[in-house]
Amino acid sequence: AQSVTQLDSHVSVSEGTPVLLRCNYSSSYSPSLFWYVQHPNKGLQLLLKYTSAATLVKGINGFEAEFKKSETSFHLTKPSAHMSDAAEYFCVVSSLGNQFYFGTGTSLTVIP
Amino acid sequence: EPEVTQTPSHQVTQMGQEVILRCVPISNHLYFYWYRQILGQKVEFLVSFYNNEISEKSEIFDDQFSVERPDGSNFTLKIRSTKLEDSAMYFCASSDWWAANEQFFGPGTRLTVL
């Protein structure tokens, strides 16, 4: 069975400081993992995805994530937060049948 | 840039009424999905659809739900007799390939059942 745990429901950082959003997954086989972002009143937008290629994945807007099989983690990072990064972030694992299993989301606040 | 659209953005209905939520997937995509998010809870898979039939469905997707692709562009979710617990945000998504590929999501329809 597949599942995702986002360890923080809310993260608050100052503008210009690093961002770390944590995600742990459970999967009975080699998973595909995604990070999506949702800005208010907008759809879910893909930030990046891991599909068994390089373990360090670079996405849009300076975000990246590292797949660590030994730790079953796929944490999202960004070196320097921008005000426009304030949003809800979802970690997602995909099943063989292409069902997406979502984490509960992490709300990121960026303080000016 | 192509995007998934959904209408209406907000639907209010009385318990027991039928509702149809509409989605226009990206035009060259072949796989379509519905998800829902009850307020304060995680996004949950409802159903996937390919080649005019359901590929997978979750246990949430009971006989009250149905999906249809009535023409070449629309993809609809029908709830026959709404219940209070159907109140949620419903997201449509589409993808151009199966398994492990990016799904493109619409902005959602907020359904409120009174």
Side-chain angles (χ1 to χ4, degrees), chain A residues 10-67:
Chain A
H10 189 92
V11 169
S12 186
V13 300
S14 297
E15 190 176 16
T17 64
V19 176
L20 170 63
L21 305 183
R22 298 182 293 166
C23 172
N24 285 97
Y25 69 91
S26 172
S27 178
S28 47
Y29 57 90
S30 185
S32 293
L33 294 157
F34 306 78
W35 275 99
Y36 279 81
V37 61
Q38 185 180 28
H39 289 94
N41 301 314
K42 299 285 188 183
L44 295 154
Q45 180 187 19
L46 180 72
L47 278 178
L48 48 81
K49 65 179 179 181
Y50 167 78
T51 54
S52 76
T55 56
L56 182 62
V57 181
K58 293 188 185 300
I60 62 171
N61 301 333
F63 284 95
E64 61 182 41
E66 186 171 8
F67 174 72

Side-chain angles (χ1 to χ4, degrees), chain A residues 32 36 43 46 97-100, chain B residues 33 35 45 56 98 100 102-103:
Chain A
S32 293
Y36 279 81
L46 180 72
N98 218 29
Q99 279 192 41
F100 271 17
Chain B
Y33 315 85
Y35 294 81
F45 170 80
E56 277 189 274
W98 196 240
E102 175 185 357
Q103 293 181 19

